[in-house]
Amino acid sequence: MGTNPQDALNRLIAAFEAHAQAARAADMADASIVEAAEARLRDAFFTYDDVLFNNYGVDLPFDVIDEDDLDDDSDEDDYDDDDYDDWEEYDEDDLDGDLDD
């Protein structure tokens, strides 16, 4: 893997362009072309992210989510239903700005 950030960026841009071209030319009967472009794009993304971090200590501001993460239901447990019960205390008369505590 090269450690030059500009080379990694150029590779990422080329991977985006190749993916777009594969998507435009995609025949749904042969999805392997798009899948291969996706794999190259994913590899170029992670390479660029790694090169940025190793050279500058900076991460990209987003992550790639794989399909296993989409099936994870743990996000549903991040809030408590009791947090929303307070809204039941207010009625339409309270919307005029005179909320009583």
Side-chain angles (χ1 to χ4, degrees):
M1 168 177 60
T3 57
N4 182 322
Q6 187 62 50
D7 290 344
L9 176 59
N10 291 340
R11 182 173 175 232
L12 179 59
I13 292 168
F16 271 115
E17 291 171 346
H19 183 269
Q21 183 178 10
R24 281 191 302 270
D27 179 1
M28 295 315 288
D30 185 14
S32 63
I33 295 170
V34 175
E35 290 171 5
E38 288 172 357
R40 287 190 299 273
L41 180 56
R42 190 176 303 112
D43 181 55
F45 171 84
F46 285 118
T47 299
Y48 181 64
D49 187 46
D50 189 51
V51 168
L52 280 182
F53 185 78
N54 288 331
N55 282 274
Y56 307 123
V58 174
D59 283 318
L60 290 174
F62 42 83
D63 293 316
V64 173
I65 299 173
D66 61 20
E67 291 179 19
D68 294 336
D69 293 336
L70 296 175
D71 293 335
D72 187 12
D73 292 336
S74 64
D75 290 341
E76 294 176 10
D77 298 329
D78 289 346
Y79 66 90
D80 186 359
D81 288 337
D82 294 334
D83 293 340
Y84 301 100
D85 289 342
D86 294 339
W87 288 102
E88 295 174 4
E89 297 175 13
Y90 304 106
D91 60 26
E92 289 180 19
D93 295 332
D94 293 328
L95 296 177
D96 63 3
D98 297 326
L99 298 176
D100 296 328
D101 290 333

